[in-house]
Every structure is written in C-alpha cells, then in structure tokens.
Amino acid sequence: MSEVKLTQLSHGGGCGCKIAPSLLQEIMGKTKDKLPFANLLVGTETSDDAAVYRLNDQQAIIATTDFFMPIVDDPFDFGRIAATNALSDVYAMGGTPIMALAIVGMPISKLPVETIRAILQGGEEVCEAAGIPLAGGHSIDSVEPIYGLVAIGIVHPDRLKKNSKAQDGDALILGKGLGVGILAAALKKDVLSAEAYAQMIATTTQLNAVGSELSGMKAVHALTDVTGFGLLGHLLEMCRGSGLGAELKFDKVPILSEALPLAQQGYGPGAIDRNLKSYGHEVDFAAHLENWQRRVLADAQTSGGLLVAASPDAINQVISCFQRAGFAQAAVVGMMKGGNSRVTVNQT
C-alpha cells in the first residue's frame, strides 16, 4: 500500500477541494426564500452546516454529506480524516450522530483492493468511536479517489444551533488551531516532518463531539465548523446569516505549532488564494498584518474546529467544556459586533 501515493492521484485534497465560495454562489444562483415546508428548520438559506427537519416537538433530524479527495497518502488515515470531517457537521448543529453511509469513488485500475479496504476501515473506526453504525453506502469507479460519509443525526429542536443566531457582543471561540491546509501542502511537497504529520493527524481525527454538549447551553447562540473556506470564510457566513459584523484578533487565534513556521515560509494550498479572491473584499485587515497572517486566516481546514458565538459571561463555561473534551488550544479569538456583515482583523 505504501507504493501508492494517494495524493498524487488527485488534483486537490481534503476540504481544499471545495469549489471557491464566489463560484459556488454563482452556480447555485440567488438564494431563494425559505421553501414552504414548515418543518424544515434549516435549509440552504444561510449556508449552514447541515439540513434539519423537525419530526415532532422533541426530535429533529440532521442530514449532511461531505466527501473529498485524499489529503494524506496513508489510506487508513485518509478514511479516518474524511469520516471525522463528515460527522463534524452534525456536531456543528448541536446534534448527535446516529448513523452514517459511505460515499466511495475509487480508480479501480490504479488502486489495489487492500488500499481501498484500508480507507473504508479508517472510516469504520471513526464511526465506531462516535458510537454509530456505518450502515451502507454507494460506490463507483472514478478517475480520482473520493471518500466521505452521509451523516444522519438527531437534535432537540430547542437545542439546535444555527450559524445565523449570533448576537451583538458575543464572544467568538475557536476549538482547534488553524494550519491543516498548510501542513497538507507541505506534505505534498515532501517537506513535512514526522512530528508535523502526527500533529496533522491528531487534529483532523479529533471528533467535534463537544458540539453536542455545547447545544445544551442557552448562552451559546451560534455554531459552525471551520473547514474549506477557512476561518474568515465561515465567520463571514455567520456574519451574513446573523446580520452582524465581527472582529478577529490575530494574536489570539490558535495556530498549530508545526504549521506556524511553514506558514511563515509561504506554504499553503491553492484554496487560500481562491478563498481570498472570493471574499477578501469583505475583510478589513489591519495595515501592518503580514501576508502570511492573512493567508493563515483563509487556510482551508479539513476537519477543523468548531466556531462558537456565545455570551461573554459564558466564556469560561465554553472554554472549560472544550478543555474537558481534549481541545487544549480552544481560545477566544474575537467578537461579534453591530454593523454591516464584514470582518475586521486586528493584530491584538
């Protein structure tokens, strides 16, 4: 299996494969008004993390899908990362996953059966860790390797956390450090150290199950996860949905320690440039910020952290919740504020 380099079989990897935000909006066209289904609690209106449909007063179903091409060469690790990333969207709605289906597209003529099986085993291990069955799926023979999940979850309608309910003055708390896309780019250029690879795998396979606990806090007003559009892109979605602006303090933003020197050297995926081209005009950067700092904030995260908007008096409670769940880098990175839906980035 080590003879096959998965990342060389695909033109992109991980959430860096996402279509650029501006092009995606052009493809989808103007956002329609909410469809006339009273029980559809979340659709496409605010670019939220999953669809949510109310079954009754006590239960709502969360449905989402996520898949991509390899971000690493180890097939087992690829499967684990893709599955962790897919389940994150359920947690980002404040829900609990109950079942998953596999999405499998593989170049059968290029990959041995053992490699494909290892990818699936990685996904199975993550589902087992999340306490859910991987109950089936669909497979095709494709030009590039693709793997992911359809994830189904459940949430009490009153505990649902949308990305559009942030309030003026809310603190912004990020659960994981940035830099996954930077590490992945260095890996593809064969300059990633063993220590950096280990850190990359550790963060991308850490389930955001803490979202299920955060959903029980009334002081938590909005949730999303940071993936392919970078911290700035997903924060802008929160701003637009909530009709608010936001301020980030760069020195407070956690960055993976192994990614920091690579970022300063200019490493990063092509998705960074696509992201900044798509939404850079909606961001006000402090003049003294260096280019690498701006790029880090737009770095495409794969299986990134949860971004929480919560009342300032709940900061300690939210941070403690993250820390108990093993998210040591969780930190307050800024705040929501009134005004137009723009993000201001200052140094401190």
Side-chain angles (χ1 to χ4, degrees), residues 19-246:
I19 294 174
S22 58
L23 179 57
L24 180 61
Q25 187 172 0
E26 183 179 345
I27 292 171
M28 294 184 67
K30 184 178 179 180
T31 303
K32 296 180 180 179
D33 293 334
K34 190 175 178 67
L35 295 175
F37 297 96
N39 288 319
L40 183 63
L41 303 182
V42 181
T44 61
E45 303 82 18
T46 60
S47 302
D48 219 321
D49 298 294
V52 183
Y53 191 91
R54 179 171 51 206
L55 298 177
N56 51 54
D57 291 342
Q58 304 296 317
Q59 296 172 311
I61 288 289
I62 301 171
T64 183
T65 184
D66 214 316
F67 52 89
F68 45 62
M69 291 163 284
I71 188 174
V72 294
D73 292 314
D74 184 279
F76 186 73
D77 284 345
F78 170 41
R80 293 168 65 205
I81 294 168
T84 305
N85 179 75
L87 294 178
S88 181
D89 285 339
V90 174
Y91 296 126
M93 304 304 300
T96 301
I98 58 174
M99 184 175 68
L101 304 173
I103 298 170
V104 183
M106 295 291 155
I108 300 302
S109 63
K110 297 178 181 178
L111 289 178
V113 171
E114 293 81 5
T115 296
I116 299 172
R117 183 60 197 147
I119 294 171
L120 271 61
Q121 287 174 332
E124 290 166 358
E125 180 179 274
V126 167
C127 288
E128 183 177 352
I132 63 171
L134 185 50
H138 185 65
S139 61
I140 62 169
D141 185 355
S142 63
V143 176
E144 296 178 295
I146 298 170
Y147 182 70
L149 300 179
V150 173
I152 305 298
I154 196 165
V155 67
H156 191 292
D158 293 342
R159 293 178 58 147
L160 173 63
K161 300 298 182 182
K162 303 179 182 180
N163 69 354
S164 58
K165 296 296 183 180
Q167 298 181 14
D168 189 0
D170 276 353
L172 290 168
I173 301 164
L174 181 62
K176 292 183 182 182
L178 302 181
V180 172
I182 292 162
L183 294 175
L187 174 66
K188 204 157 187 177
K189 293 182 180 294
D190 293 323
V191 297
L192 195 68
S193 68
E195 294 78 13
Y197 182 80
Q199 186 177 62
M200 176 181 170
I201 298 302
T203 189
T204 54
T205 59
Q206 185 177 19
L207 285 164
N208 280 324
V210 65
S212 300
E213 183 176 351
L214 292 170
S215 72
M217 301 180 187
K218 290 186 177 180
V220 171
H221 300 137
L223 266 181
T224 192
D225 63 346
V226 178
T227 54
F229 298 156
L231 175 58
L232 287 173
H234 293 286
L235 177 54
L236 279 165
E237 289 178 337
M238 186 179 285
C239 288
R240 297 184 200 111
S242 303
L244 296 169

